């Protein structure tokens, strides 16, 4: 494969859509990066005098190892190889030291760059970014790694970040079943809104149904969204907001109807206490009203819905009820994209590998 060349015009591809300037203005911007460097402050976390490149994002400059970034990104490798503009001396010793290093202006938030540097720079692992860490990553960290990883072709970082989301926002029924919570440990519940937007922006639509399902449980926060660390507010698009609002009643109705069908069935054919178990099933139906907030959660298992002393059924009847509830959850999962009105977008959903046990 021929080595990629990176001309100054290629900077256009790294700019946000609304920030792409006419060529004559862009040339002026790229011709004198030193002029803007003086107004940027050194990052407290990533400024090391012995490092080899300066990255400028917003009003923050980072001094890091260019070899580490170049080894993970062909885009960074090419950016670092671009010739630097002529440098005029100002007599400032500290500024002169900066001028000896390549300077690259990035059109990204300093918060995003800092998150990426935290997982890419030594001594952090570079093969398993989110496995060997002692803490769970936040949504802000995962979001930054996905956006920067995609933009600068940091394939390993991007793929690991997407894989992390897929552990929780899965398209696999068996994996969904094993989750204690659908919210990653380092996330908040409202971060599901951001996950939906990531699914849209990256085209990773397999995470979309589970993320939209999480959004339907947000109540007022569904409309308000949440505040990002850079001060912006993350919200669903109008179309996805409409989908979630329209799906709430359908999801609750489907879940409660499924629970009723599970409990109004006849006792097990092998039951030796038919009348007692029939009354026990009726009591479980009556008890739904007392635990409605949990009963409407489609992920909630019947074993977790009722305490042991409330299960006035023989072992055979209880085991059969548990099996029927598993069937309810499997049926719900199969129809989830349809309930959320994304069945045409997520056409591989409901394949044998994702729903069968």
């Amino acid at each position: 494969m021929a080595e990629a060349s990176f001309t100054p015009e290629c900077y256009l591809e790294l700019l946000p859509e609304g920030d792409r300037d006419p060529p004559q203005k862009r040339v002026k911007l790229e011709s004198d990066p030193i002029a803007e460097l003086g107004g940027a402050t050194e990052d407290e976390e990533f400024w090391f005098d012995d490092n080899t490149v300066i990255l400028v994002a917003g009003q923050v400059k980072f001094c890091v190892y260019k070899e580490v970034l170049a080894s993970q990104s062909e885009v960074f490798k090419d950016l670092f190889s671009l010739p630097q503009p002529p440098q005029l001396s100002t007599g400032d010793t500290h500024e002169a030291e900066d001028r000896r290093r390549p300077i690259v202006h990035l059109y990204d938030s300093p918060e995003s760059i800092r998150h990426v540097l935290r997982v890419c720079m030594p001594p952090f692992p570079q093969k398993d970014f989110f496995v060997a860490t002692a803490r769970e990553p936040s949504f802000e960290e995962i979001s930054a790694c996905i956006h920067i990883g995609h933009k600068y072709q940091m394939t390993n970082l991007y793929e690991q970040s997407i894989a992390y989301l897929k552990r929780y926002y899965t398209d696999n029924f068996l994996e969904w079943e094993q989750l204690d919570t659908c919210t990653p440990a380092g996330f908040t519940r409202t971060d599901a809104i951001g996950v939906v937007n990531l699914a849209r922006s990256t085209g990773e639509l397999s995470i979309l149904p589970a993320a939209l399902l999480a959004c339907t449980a947000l109540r007022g926060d569904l409309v308000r969204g949440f505040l990002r660390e850079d001060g912006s507010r993350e919200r669903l698009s109008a179309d996805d907001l409409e989908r979630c609002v329209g799906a709430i009643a359908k999801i609750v109705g489907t879940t409660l109807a499924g629970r009723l069908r599970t409990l109004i069935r006849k006792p097990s054919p092998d039951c030796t206490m038919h009348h007692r178990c029939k009354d026990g099933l009726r009591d479980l139906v009556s008890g739904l009203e007392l635990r409605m907030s949990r009963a409407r959660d489609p992920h909630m298992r019947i074993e977790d819905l009722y305490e042991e002393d409330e299960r006035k059924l023989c072992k055979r009847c209880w085991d059969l009820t548990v099996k029927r509830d598993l069937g309810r959850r499997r049926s719900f999962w199969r129809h989830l994209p349809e309930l959320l009105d994304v069945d045409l977008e997520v056409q591989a959903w409901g394949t044998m590998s994702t729903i069968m046990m």
Side-chain angles (χ1 to χ4, degrees):
M1 179 182 295
E3 185 174 343
S5 62
F6 222 84
T7 64
E9 284 75 13
C10 292
Y11 276 105
L12 265 184
E13 300 303 320
L14 303 179
L15 282 169
E17 189 72 32
D19 293 338
R20 299 184 180 182
D21 296 321
Q24 66 275 16
K25 186 175 181 181
R26 189 175 71 257
V27 170
K28 182 179 180 181
L29 176 66
E30 297 303 332
S31 67
D32 190 16
I34 301 299
E36 293 187 11
L37 187 59
T41 59
E42 297 177 1
D43 186 71
E44 294 182 0
E45 188 173 352
F46 290 101
W47 185 272
F48 304 105
D49 291 334
D50 62 340
N51 283 1
T52 54
V53 69
I54 294 176
L55 307 178
V56 183
Q59 293 300 307
V60 181
K61 56 184 179 179
F62 305 84
C63 190
V64 295
Y65 293 104
K66 68 177 180 180
E67 295 79 8
V68 174
L69 292 176
S71 69
Q72 299 179 52
S73 164
E74 285 296 318
V75 175
F76 274 124
K77 182 179 178 180
D78 288 333
L79 283 173
F80 298 155
S81 70
L82 289 175
Q84 293 292 295
Q87 301 171 3
L88 302 176
S89 175
T90 63
D92 188 319
T93 304
H94 186 69
E95 185 176 292
E97 183 69 23
D98 287 352
R99 291 171 185 271
R100 287 199 287 268
R101 304 181 179 96
I103 298 169
V104 177
H105 286 257
L106 305 177
Y107 297 89
D108 307 282
S109 72
E111 293 85 4
S112 292
I113 297 300
R114 193 176 296 113
H115 281 304
V116 170
L117 293 178
R118 283 172 181 160
V119 298
C120 290
M121 288 290 118
F124 300 108
Q126 287 153 40
K127 289 186 178 180
D128 301 303
F129 294 111
F130 306 114
V131 174
T133 54
R135 58 173 182 79
E136 293 284 349
S138 67
F139 169 76
E140 296 285 358
E141 184 175 338
I142 290 292
S143 176
C145 290
I146 288 174
H147 282 303
I148 300 298
H150 183 266
K151 180 176 180 180
Y152 295 101
Q153 298 175 24
M154 303 175 76
T155 304
N156 193 22
L157 179 65
Y158 174 84
E159 290 180 350
Q160 287 193 42
S161 302
I162 291 293
Y164 181 83
L165 289 182
K166 288 182 177 181
R167 294 183 210 169
Y168 297 90
Y169 304 96
T170 179
D171 64 347
N172 187 295
F173 175 73
L174 298 180
E175 294 175 358
W176 185 65
E177 274 285 282
Q178 294 168 5
L179 291 173
D180 293 328
T181 174
C182 297
T183 303
F187 287 31
T188 66
R189 293 173 67 249
T190 54
D191 288 335
I193 293 172
V195 176
V196 169
N197 293 336
L198 284 175
R200 294 293 189 189
S201 64
T202 61
E204 300 283 353
L205 297 182
S206 68
I207 65 178
L208 184 60
L212 286 170
L213 175 62
C215 287
T216 63
L218 294 180
R219 300 187 178 182
D221 287 330
L222 178 63
V223 177
R224 287 190 294 268
F226 65 94
L227 199 63
R228 298 292 299 267
E229 63 182 1
D230 64 0
S232 63
R233 183 163 289 275
E234 188 89 12
R235 290 188 176 95
L236 290 175
S237 69
D239 287 343
D240 281 330
L241 179 59
E242 183 179 359
R243 280 188 180 90
C244 287
V245 171
I248 291 173
K250 291 187 288 184
I251 288 171
V252 172
T254 299
T255 301
L256 294 180
R259 293 201 185 279
L260 286 174
R261 284 194 298 270
T262 297
L263 297 174
I264 63 175
R265 304 275 289 276
K266 294 180 180 180
S268 168
D270 300 322
C271 176
T272 57
M273 300 181 292
H274 188 275
H275 291 294
R276 176 185 170 183
C277 288
K278 188 175 180 180
D279 290 340
L281 287 168
R282 189 181 296 113
D283 290 342
L284 293 179
V285 172
S286 300
L288 281 176
E289 186 177 357
L290 301 176
R291 46 183 59 78
M292 190 61 68
S293 62
R294 291 191 299 152
R296 61 193 289 169
D297 177 1
H299 191 253
M300 177 72 67
R301 301 182 181 190
I302 198 167
E303 307 96 292
D304 301 320
L305 197 57
Y306 296 95
E307 301 293 337
E308 281 195 38
D309 59 357
E310 296 176 303
R311 309 170 189 171
K312 298 175 182 178
L313 305 174
C314 71
K315 186 178 185 308
R316 292 186 179 90
C317 285
W318 177 250
D319 289 346
L320 180 58
T321 300
V322 169
K323 184 178 179 180
R324 289 167 175 168
D325 188 59
L326 174 60
R328 172 196 65 79
R329 297 194 301 279
R330 187 186 294 120
S331 175
F332 173 84
W333 185 258
R334 183 184 297 112
H335 294 98
L336 181 58
E338 181 182 348
L339 292 170
L340 292 164
D341 193 26
V342 292
D343 48 312
L344 296 180
E345 299 179 75
V346 193
Q347 296 183 13
W349 194 271
T351 60
M352 296 297 287
S353 62
T354 62
I355 64 173
M356 294 301 291
M357 297 192 66

